[in-house]
Amino acid sequence: MSSSAVRSKNSGNDDEAKHYPPPLASHNDVVNDPTLFWDTLRRFHFLMATKFMIPVIGGKELDLHVLYVEVTRRSGYEKVVAEKKWREVGSVFRFSSTTTSASFVLRKHYLNLLYHYEQVHFFKVQGPVYTPSPDAFSGNSPSWKPELAIVQYSPKMVNYSAESHDEVDVDNSLLLGKGTIEGKFDCGYLVSVELGSEVLKGVLYHQEKVVSPSSLVTQHNGAIEPFNHQTHRLGRRKRRKRKWDPNYPKPNRSGYNFFFAEKHYKLKELYPNREREFTKMIGQSWNSLSPEERMIYQNIGLRDKERYKRELSEYKQKMKVGQTEELGRP
């Protein structure tokens, strides 16, 4: 179903007082120019009076330009949802193995930050603003109704194996249907369960272990001792910090470090409220330098490296002399 067809079907639920602004640039221009994309995206959210913040996934800022390009390459948000291609989109970002439910998170951020921008710049939509529900395009039948099924996890009721392609069989004592695991998080799974013609979406939680009162006491030589609930921290042992010598030479910096410090100082004066974006902006500026311009900073870095080597050699020599004098004292 096309974007315009879905919109006309649901126009009765739209807020007709709010209309889309005109496109700020052509779709091809924002795809080919990341700087133009970020500028128009911020201006678009300002015109729409919506909150805009770059999300962070796995400790890194999500590149919304790449996300927009990949989704519109696949004919837009509605098509990606209908054909379940979020995992394919997520593979482009190469998230770390610790990042779970990447498909779900990408879909949520796209809907919140890029869906209306896509409607105006990709589909060239004008008129009242249309906001779909998160599951508006994920059903397989016209009777699709997004619902939430809260299911408690029990090993006896669920049989899951790696050969089942993320499908689970749910016992009849729980639900008469077949479920699919669509995402994973620390406390359980995001699942969908087919019940006849309906599909229910829900959360499958791990069952918490219940500690019986009898296990809180131990018996030693006929005497009852209370359970000592001291938890031992697992993990790496902390290394003792070395005492820092103020005479130790300052480590050298690379050419990029000098360039970063110079640009950061200038950007902080121009954009004091956008400091979270400086790293990305400085990286783009560094990549746009010509080889001759980049060589200027690299030469500064090489000179600083020679300075560090020279000072480190002098420092080590002084340390040897000091140790020799201490050994010679009575």
Side-chain angles (χ1 to χ4, degrees):
M1 183 180 292
S2 67
S3 174
S4 59
V6 174
R7 188 165 298 97
S8 62
K9 183 178 179 181
N10 296 275
S11 60
N13 298 326
D14 296 340
D15 183 7
E16 296 186 4
K18 196 171 184 180
H19 287 68
Y20 283 124
L24 301 174
S26 70
H27 171 71
N28 290 335
D29 288 342
V30 297
V31 166
N32 296 324
D33 188 348
T35 304
L36 179 62
F37 167 82
W38 287 103
D39 181 53
T40 54
L41 182 62
R42 290 189 183 91
R43 287 164 55 198
F44 182 82
H45 278 277
F46 175 78
L47 293 172
M48 292 283 291
T50 51
K51 185 178 179 181
F52 176 71
M53 181 178 290
I54 302 175
V56 177
I57 300 179
K60 297 181 181 179
E61 291 185 346
L62 177 63
D63 193 332
L64 296 175
H65 178 251
V66 174
L67 181 60
Y68 176 77
V69 171
E70 292 300 323
V71 172
T72 52
R73 272 181 55 201
R74 294 166 175 81
S75 303
Y77 172 85
E78 299 168 11
K79 192 79 170 176
V80 173
V81 172
E83 297 182 359
K84 299 181 179 179
K85 289 187 176 181
W86 285 109
R87 183 175 294 181
E88 181 181 316
V89 172
S91 65
V92 176
F93 293 90
R94 297 181 180 179
F95 294 121
S96 65
S97 57
T98 58
T99 305
T100 58
S101 304
S103 300
F104 173 79
V105 173
L106 287 176
R107 175 177 169 178
K108 181 187 74 172
H109 288 317
Y110 194 95
L111 180 62
N112 292 337
L113 299 171
L114 294 172
Y115 177 79
H116 295 303
Y117 183 88
E118 169 200 282
Q119 297 301 301
V120 173
H121 294 84
F122 184 60
F123 290 108
K124 297 180 175 59
V125 174
Q126 297 179 355
V129 172
Y130 167 73
T131 303
S133 64
D135 298 308
F137 313 103
S138 58
N140 299 321
S141 66
S143 62
W144 164 261
K145 291 184 291 184
E147 296 187 32
L148 179 66
I150 303 299
V151 184
Q152 186 177 11
Y153 172 79
S154 174
K156 296 180 181 179
M157 296 181 181
V158 178
N159 182 18
Y160 174 75
S161 65
E163 299 176 356
S164 63
H165 303 287
D166 286 346
E167 291 188 350
V168 295
D169 293 326
V170 184
D171 188 75
N172 290 341
S173 61
L174 182 64
L175 290 171
L176 297 173
K178 193 172 186 180
T180 302
I181 294 178
E182 297 184 346
K184 180 182 178 182
F185 60 102
D186 293 339
C187 302
Y189 300 92
L190 301 172
V191 299
S192 61
V193 181
E194 297 179 11
L195 292 175
S197 61
E198 286 192 279
V199 179
L200 302 180
K201 297 215 174 226
V203 182
L204 195 66
Y205 287 105
H206 291 296
Q207 188 175 27
E208 295 182 359
K209 292 183 179 180
V210 180
V211 181
S212 61
S214 60
S215 63
L216 299 180
V217 294
T218 56
Q219 198 165 9
H220 182 68
N221 294 331
I224 295 178
E225 298 177 357
F227 174 72
N228 186 11
H229 190 64
Q230 290 182 351
T231 56
H232 297 278
R233 258 183 109 178
L234 300 177
R236 297 180 182 177
R237 296 172 64 184
K238 288 187 178 180
R239 293 183 180 179
R240 292 182 180 177
K241 292 184 179 179
R242 294 186 194 173
K243 291 183 179 179
W244 179 251
D245 187 352
N247 297 320
Y248 191 87
K250 183 179 178 181
N252 65 293
R253 295 189 293 171
S254 66
Y256 178 75
N257 293 143
F258 284 99
F259 176 81
F260 187 97
E262 178 184 314
K263 287 291 182 183
H264 191 278
Y265 179 79
K266 293 179 180 178
L267 289 172
K268 197 167 185 179
E269 292 183 344
L270 295 172
Y271 311 106
N273 299 323
R274 293 170 57 183
E275 198 162 350
R276 288 186 61 186
E277 305 169 31
F278 288 176
T279 301
K280 184 180 184 66
M281 295 165 70
I282 295 171
Q284 291 175 346
S285 298
W286 175 260
N287 292 333
S288 63
L289 292 179
S290 65
E292 293 79 13
E293 292 172 326
R294 196 175 298 180
M295 185 61 67
I296 296 173
Y297 295 96
Q298 290 175 341
N299 288 336
I300 296 173
L302 289 174
R303 288 198 296 272
D304 194 51
K305 187 175 182 180
E306 293 298 324
R307 186 271 313 164
Y308 174 67
K309 287 182 178 179
R310 183 181 66 257
E311 293 181 358
L312 183 61
S313 177
E314 294 172 357
Y315 172 81
K316 289 181 177 179
Q317 190 65 30
K318 289 180 182 178
M319 293 294 291
K320 286 182 181 178
V321 173
Q323 290 174 358
T324 303
E325 290 179 352
E326 287 183 3
L327 291 173
R329 291 175 184 172

